Amino acid sequence: MSDLPLGFSGNFLSRLELLRMRARRSYLGSRQGSHLSMKRGHGMEFSDYRNYMPGDNPRYIDWSIFARSDRVYVKQFQEEQDLPVFLLLDGSPSMHYPEDNRKWQYAMQIAASLAYIGLMQHDSIRVSVPGAFYSPAYTGARAFYRLIGDLEAVAPVTNQDLFQEHIQRAVSHFRFPGLCFFLSDFLMPVEHIRKVLDVLRAKNLDICCIQILGKDDIQPASDLDSAELVDSETGESFHLSLDKNIREEYSYYLSQHNGELKAMCEEYGILYQLAYPENSIESFVFENLTQTGLIR
Amino acid sequence: MIDALALAYPSALLLLPAAIWGLVYIYRKRGNAIRRTISSALFVRMLEQRKAKRTRFKPPLRFLVELLLFSLLAIGAAGLLLDSQKQHIVLLVDNSLSMATIDIGVVPAQTRLEKAKERAYKALESRNYFTEVSIWKTSPSLSPVHTGRLSVSAARSKIDELAQGVGADRIEQALQRVLQSAGEGEVIVFTDKVPDSTSDATRVHVETIRDEKRAQNIALLGVTRSRGERAGRENISAKVHSYASRVAAVDVIVSRLDLVASKINSQKIRQVRIELTAGEERDVPFENLVEGDSYKFELRSVDDSLDMLREDNLAWVVGTKKSDVIGYVGDADPRSLGLTNAGHLQIVPLKELTEMPIFSVFYGVDVPDDYEGNALGIMPPGRELVQGSKLSVYDETHPLTSYISFPALTLSAVRPLDVPDWAQSVIETTAGTILYAGTREGSKRVIYGYDPLPYLGKKAPLRSILILNTFKWLSEKNVSLQSSVPGVRIRDEGVRMSYDDGSALSKSGDSYVAERTGLVHTPNVVVDAVNFFDPNESAPEQGTFAIPPTGVTRSSEEPLSGAPLSRTLALIVFALLLLDVFFFEVRKRIL
């Protein structure tokens, strides 16, 4: 038990093995897998008919249609291929600090859980921390530990000015479109988020945004009446008397921001899920994540 | 208690309100807040406007500690001192002619007076605001340079205005007078002399201004003549002193001079090699020399390893035979003018001359146009006297100004001269030319627009060298007319000793002391001049005197102790700083 990474338990991993990822549409895979692909060929799931052409295997001729209409058609099936899964983790300092908020650890746990599910069903997993780490495609269950090791070695990304460029570079590594989980606190201007999501949408990905908010994001310096709050990304400091009114106003701004984010996701057909590191990873995966329908 | 306190720089207290304002501003800006890092200030930035609505500033303990710290710093900067710490100092600046000397090897080249001024500025720098300063100068006469007492800044400008004088210093008498007028104040003396003693050693500090470079020099201190055992013979003893720091060997060479008309024939007759240890003084006797002849004594380093200063190791013994005649015209007595100081010269009134003089002196009268011989004119009648003119230009290439480097002199009384066509202006002042020279129809003439005679002071090298150069140029000889050096001690032979002009020498212990320049005669001993050498300038220990002054503290000592109150404040501030940094920072980290 103690050898398992990220505090995972054997029971948790066993339960993850029972889950399957389901994209909302078919994608072209690169290898044989368990997902119905856009590729027509030999599979179990009937897809369509087409005219017989010389060279077609006579085994797929629909003889009943030939008997009824005297025309030769062959049956087409959807091939079952692997699903390209992209795990995009925001590695900015806001995900790392304050450390006791455990946002980065929680993001790694979610990413590792999703990767484990995918690897178990022979999907191709790519992990990117824009600006810090761009992984190759992980396949097979044995790649799980390698993936965890790579993730744990990632340091906070310091240059946030180039976040959009980093996202573009990460997306350029995605050879085929597929399922994309974007894990971030999304504590950035909405317009900024929109630009980032536009980049992802342009790749025709089935996107799921998972927003991870720590306790200080929800209520900063909850134990203090006043504090000098320092932005982890810019170093800018703000002296605030954190009275009730201020806190209420802060909560208002946060909920407004999250509302706009949610609305944007709905507008773009992007799935959205909110995660709190205070909650257990088990409850998030088996209760919240399954609600998205991408995990069943 | 409060009445007994004062501030040296009260204007520094103006910093306090500014410091308090700054401190409050920082605290208001910072608040009492604890620093906390958050993920993003996206929403916090929107709350910035709320800051104006913050509650009234409540100073925390740390603020009070820091306020106290700033207050103490401001008071410390203002120079808190007790009334008893107020000071009065008297600066006695020697601006006599010797202070115009530029010491050998001093870089940058500065006169002693300029160095004295710098030292005086430094002495003032360490004084507090309440220090009252009096400044005295020694030349032309001992006097304060201002009335009342000055502030430190005013004293600086007064020192700056201090000009070079041409008189003697008489530093001991000056110091006694200044001590009497200084009350309880401290006296700092800037001089190139060493006062022999003072009545109040704790109040007097002597800043010695002189070349600290020590020369490895051997000097000829004096030459003593005495009658020989045989008739027509005499014994001459050369007193040689080593100012080197090691054993040094020199040759003492005696040459006989034949002063025939305007030519000098020199013939080496004796040579003795001696070895002197550091500081050793020795008489080197030469016996049975022809009485009445002129001799040249010279020291030469054996291995050229010594810094032999030519002025210090060359002496002339002038023969007693009256060989040269100088004509004289004027109302003043030639004796009072120092013209008779050389025994071999005959000063003869012009109308009584029976032979052609080597030159004639026209003192206070014009040189007649029809006079055919060489002539020296001093203060010819004509234009009005001008007071306080400053030396502006001089021709340093002219033979009359050889070996001379004039400082910025101010001359008390000059009579500007009209330079004729045949003459060349040698020295000019702001009032006009005061010395010109030239050759007119084969005769040399030198005309002075100021009085270089009589030969005043213990040591007035500038004027004396100028006069010697003049005599030399006019007579075309380089001997004669040297003078005895002051301070030379002459052993008491049991007979009365006097100068050539008849005045007596004073006696100290078992020796006579020549207090002024001039030839000294005794019935059987004559002390002849050597040079202008001052033995203190080649003292065996660098920067110290051969004879340490008694009752005078050395200049290397700290003139005044610091302000104890400021030190106490500094300690308190340091303790508060430690408290502020460590206690609060540690407390914050613990909490």
Side-chain angles (χ1 to χ4, degrees):
Chain A
M1 286 286 279
S2 60
D3 291 341
L4 294 172
L6 301 172
F8 287 168
S9 65
N11 183 40
F12 174 63
L13 293 179
S14 303
R15 291 180 65 192
L16 287 180
E17 287 173 18
L18 301 174
L19 295 176
R20 292 284 180 272
M21 277 191 202
R22 294 283 182 263
R24 287 178 290 176
R25 53 182 181 269
S26 299
Y27 289 104
L28 201 60
S30 56
R31 301 180 310 151
Q32 194 158 12
S34 57
H35 299 277
L36 287 174
S37 166
M38 290 168 67
K39 191 177 177 183
R40 302 289 184 267
H42 313 293
M44 300 292 290
E45 198 79 19
F46 171 76
S47 172
D48 204 354
Y49 291 102
R50 67 169 171 81
N51 290 328
Y52 173 81
M53 292 177 73
D56 284 343
N57 193 340
R59 185 178 164 188
Y60 296 105
I61 295 173
D62 192 329
W63 294 109
S64 58
I65 291 178
F66 176 71
R68 286 200 300 270
S69 62
D70 203 20
R71 290 180 184 172
V72 180
Y73 289 98
V74 291
K75 286 187 281 189
Q76 285 193 313
F77 299 88
Q78 272 189 304
E79 279 204 18
E80 287 188 339
Q81 288 187 314
D82 62 339
L83 174 66
V85 178
F86 306 111
L87 302 173
L88 206 57
L89 280 80
D90 176 5
S92 64
S94 69
M95 290 291 286
H96 288 79
Y97 304 106
E99 287 178 354
D100 60 346
N101 278 207
R102 292 186 63 254
K103 285 158 71 176
W104 177 248
Q105 283 77 7
Y106 202 65
M108 281 202 300
Q109 284 181 328
I110 294 170
S113 304
L114 292 169
Y116 191 76
I117 294 167
L119 291 172
M120 283 299 141
Q121 58 188 30
H122 308 292
D123 289 333
S124 159
I125 309 290
R126 278 179 187 272
V127 181
S128 288
V129 181
F133 174 64
Y134 307 95
S135 82
Y138 299 101
T139 53
R142 280 184 295 184
F144 179 64
Y145 284 92
R146 190 151 47 89
L147 182 147
I148 297 290
D150 290 344
L151 265 183
E152 284 180 332
V154 172
V157 181
T158 50
N159 192 350
Q160 281 303 294
D161 296 339
L162 301 172
F163 188 66
Q164 197 176 332
E165 284 78 0
H166 292 325
I167 291 279
Q168 270 175 332
R169 188 181 164 196
V171 168
S172 69
H173 286 76
F174 304 166
R175 199 171 154 201
F176 301 109
L179 188 54
C180 174
F181 292 93
F182 186 10
L183 289 83
S184 172
D185 52 12
F186 292 102
L187 293 177
M188 55 188 106
V190 175
E191 284 311 306
H192 196 166
I193 300 171
R194 187 185 296 279
K195 286 178 185 170
V196 170
L197 292 180
D198 284 346
V199 172
L200 296 177
R201 287 174 62 225
K203 198 74 181 178
N204 195 25
L205 297 166
D206 188 3
I207 306 165
C208 176
C209 289
I210 300 174
Q211 185 182 23
I212 302 167
L213 291 179
K215 60 180 168 54
D216 280 305
D217 295 331
I218 296 159
Q219 199 174 53
S222 57
D223 55 332
L224 300 175
D225 294 334
S226 65
E228 180 190 358
L229 301 177
V230 182
D231 189 324
S232 64
E233 293 178 351
T234 62
E236 212 176 344
S237 64
F238 301 87
H239 299 272
L240 277 186
S241 154
L242 295 165
D243 57 18
K244 190 183 167 193
N245 291 338
I246 290 282
R247 289 192 183 284
E248 282 178 358
E249 196 173 340
Y250 180 91
S251 299
Y252 168 76
Y253 288 134
L254 176 63
S255 61
Q256 189 184 40
H257 175 81
N258 287 351
E260 287 179 26
L261 174 63
K262 223 172 190 174
M264 192 196 311
C265 288
E266 279 179 17
E267 181 190 345
Y268 288 161
I270 293 171
L271 294 170
Y272 168 83
Q273 192 57 248
L274 187 60
Y276 301 104
E278 287 79 23
N279 297 341
S280 70
I281 183 68
E282 288 91 345
S283 71
F284 176 74
V285 173
F286 294 115
E287 293 167 19
N288 302 74
L289 212 50
T290 50
Q291 285 177 8
T292 61
L294 296 176
I295 307 289
R296 291 176 190 165
Chain B
M1 175 64 186
I2 296 293
D3 293 343
L5 295 175
L7 295 173
Y9 312 103
S11 55
L13 282 182
L14 292 175
L15 294 173
L16 189 56
I20 292 172
W21 183 87
L23 195 63
V24 171
Y25 175 79
I26 290 168
Y27 268 83
R28 287 197 71 93
K29 187 172 164 59
R30 190 172 67 187
N32 303 335
I34 293 173
R35 202 176 161 86
R36 185 70 62 84
T37 302
I38 56 170
S39 302
S40 169
L42 181 65
F43 313 122
V44 173
R45 194 175 283 109
M46 298 176 187
L47 299 171
E48 272 270 296
Q49 54 193 1
R50 287 286 182 148
K51 279 167 54 175
K53 298 176 183 173
R54 283 212 312 269
T55 52
R56 196 165 58 87
F57 174 61
K58 294 174 188 170
L61 179 61
R62 186 176 189 179
F63 172 83
L64 297 175
V65 170
E66 288 177 357
L67 185 64
L68 181 61
L69 194 148
F70 273 113
S71 305
L72 292 177
L73 273 178
I75 293 170
L80 187 65
L81 46 86
L82 292 168
D83 250 3
S84 57
Q85 286 179 273
K86 291 183 181 176
Q87 301 165 345
H88 172 227
I89 57 167
V90 181
L91 306 181
L92 171 58
V93 182
D94 178 0
N95 65 332
S96 63
L97 194 59
S98 65
M99 292 293 280
T101 307
I102 298 173
D103 287 316
I104 297 166
V106 175
V107 178
Q110 279 181 309
T111 64
R112 290 177 179 175
L113 181 63
E114 286 167 343
K115 284 201 282 186
K117 285 181 178 182
E118 280 185 5
R119 297 265 191 99
Y121 295 149
K122 278 187 185 170
L124 290 175
E125 275 173 13
S126 59
R127 306 292 158 162
N128 64 46
Y129 181 80
F130 276 114
T131 301
E132 293 171 326
V133 185
S134 303
I135 305 169
W136 290 64
K137 61 179 180 178
T138 59
S139 183
S141 61
L142 179 70
S143 58
V145 297
H146 56 89
T147 54
R149 292 179 177 181
L150 301 172
S151 67
V152 171
S153 56
R156 279 184 67 91
S157 58
K158 284 288 178 193
I159 290 170
D160 204 32
E161 291 168 9
L162 209 58
Q164 178 71 58
V166 291
D169 49 52
R170 298 182 188 85
I171 203 72
E172 288 86 6
Q173 297 95 311
L175 187 53
Q176 291 305 326
R177 266 192 65 194
V178 168
L179 276 171
Q180 285 167 10
S181 66
E184 291 302 309
E186 178 195 12
V187 178
I188 305 177
V189 186
F190 302 92
T191 180
D192 57 351
K193 305 297 187 308
V194 182
D196 287 339
S197 63
T198 67
S199 56
D200 191 349
T202 57
R203 289 171 52 206
V204 179
H205 305 276
V206 179
E207 292 267 355
T208 309
I209 315 292
R210 62 167 68 227
D211 184 14
E212 292 177 356
K213 186 182 175 225
R214 175 188 161 192
Q216 297 287 332
N217 186 28
I218 308 287
L220 203 51
L221 284 190
V223 179
T224 307
R225 258 177 166 169
S226 58
R227 282 183 187 149
E229 293 173 0
R230 290 162 52 193
R233 296 284 169 170
E234 64 178 342
N235 301 330
I236 301 182
S237 175
K239 192 182 287 290
V240 182
H241 190 106
S242 170
Y243 293 100
S245 59
R246 52 182 168 78
V247 175
V250 288
D251 287 329
V252 186
I253 300 166
V254 184
S255 302
R256 192 165 63 84
L257 303 174
D258 189 10
L259 310 175
V260 181
S262 58
K263 262 182 82 178
I264 303 168
N265 293 324
S266 171
Q267 184 187 3
K268 188 165 86 174
I269 55 170
R270 304 276 176 93
Q271 179 168 346
V272 176
R273 178 164 296 183
I274 57 169
E275 253 188 16
L276 298 170
T277 56
E280 185 185 350
E281 190 171 293
R282 191 185 299 176
D283 285 319
V284 184
F286 295 92
E287 297 180 343
N288 291 323
L289 298 171
V290 176
E291 191 178 21
D293 276 358
S294 297
Y295 297 100
K296 181 174 82 170
F297 286 74
E298 191 179 2
L299 300 182
R300 274 193 200 152
S301 173
V302 173
D303 53 4
D304 290 332
S305 63
L306 298 170
D307 306 318
M308 299 295 277
L309 305 177
R310 184 161 175 77
E311 295 83 356
D312 291 351
N313 45 55
L314 191 64
W316 305 91
V317 175
V318 182
T320 53
K321 296 169 187 167
K322 303 288 185 186
S323 59
D324 293 327
V325 175
I326 296 177
Y328 176 77
V329 182
D331 293 335
D333 181 358
R335 285 188 169 191
S336 69
L337 300 179
L339 287 173
T340 58
N341 281 355
H344 68 294
L345 291 177
Q346 296 182 67
I347 307 296
V348 179
L350 202 59
K351 59 187 178 185
E352 296 174 11
L353 280 173
T354 55
E355 58 180 299
M356 192 64 187
I358 54 172
F359 63 88
S360 294
V361 178
F362 294 84
Y363 190 81
V365 294
D366 277 323
V367 180
D369 286 343
D370 56 352
Y371 181 73
E372 294 179 353
N374 296 342
L376 166 62
I378 296 171
M379 297 291 274
R383 291 161 67 174
E384 289 297 313
L385 284 174
V386 178
Q387 305 286 333
S389 61
K390 290 185 177 173
L391 190 142
S392 55
V393 182
Y394 69 96
D395 179 3
E396 58 186 13
T397 61
H398 199 279
L400 296 185
T401 51
S402 298
Y403 313 113
I404 299 176
S405 177
F406 284 107
L409 281 174
T410 301
L411 299 167
S412 56
V414 301
R415 180 165 288 160
L417 303 170
D418 297 320
V419 184
D421 298 339
W422 47 265
Q424 177 191 346
S425 174
V426 180
I427 300 177
E428 291 176 21
T429 66
T430 50
T433 299
I434 58 162
L435 174 61
Y436 68 79
T439 304
R440 187 190 183 198
E441 295 173 0
S443 300
K444 290 179 178 175
R445 288 192 183 180
V446 178
I447 309 296
Y448 277 84
Y450 78 100
D451 191 355
L453 305 170
Y455 189 72
L456 287 176
K458 282 183 176 179
K459 182 182 178 188
L462 295 175
R463 286 200 295 176
S464 69
I465 294 173
L466 191 61
I467 280 293
L468 289 175
N469 284 342
T470 304
F471 283 16
K472 180 182 163 189
W473 191 66
L474 288 171
S475 66
E476 296 173 355
K477 290 181 179 179
N478 57 1
V479 294
S480 78
L481 298 163
Q482 298 281 3
S483 305
S484 66
V485 64
V488 169
R489 289 172 180 268
I490 304 154
R491 200 169 62 251
D492 183 4
E493 299 281 351
V495 293
R496 181 177 176 278
M497 301 183 78
S498 64
Y499 287 101
D500 194 45
D501 61 5
S503 56
L505 271 72
S506 64
K507 197 174 175 190
S508 171
D510 61 350
S511 300
Y512 287 96
V513 180
E515 290 177 320
R516 65 174 175 81
T517 307
L519 287 175
V520 177
H521 276 281
T522 67
N524 58 352
V525 178
V526 177
V527 175
D528 289 282
V530 181
N531 46 46
F532 301 109
F533 174 69
D534 181 349
N536 285 334
E537 290 176 358
S538 297
E541 284 101 30
Q542 186 172 358
T544 60
F545 298 105
I547 306 164
T550 53
V552 180
T553 53
R554 297 304 312 280
S555 59
S556 58
E557 290 178 11
E558 192 65 31
L560 271 181
S561 57
L565 281 177
S566 293
R567 277 203 293 271
T568 311
L569 280 178
L571 284 173
I572 294 171
V573 167
F574 183 67
L576 283 172
L577 194 67
L578 285 179
L579 178 76
D580 184 46
V581 172
F582 288 102
F583 176 72
F584 287 102
E585 287 301 317
V586 169
R587 191 180 69 118
K588 197 167 84 175
R589 284 176 193 281
I590 290 171
L591 289 177

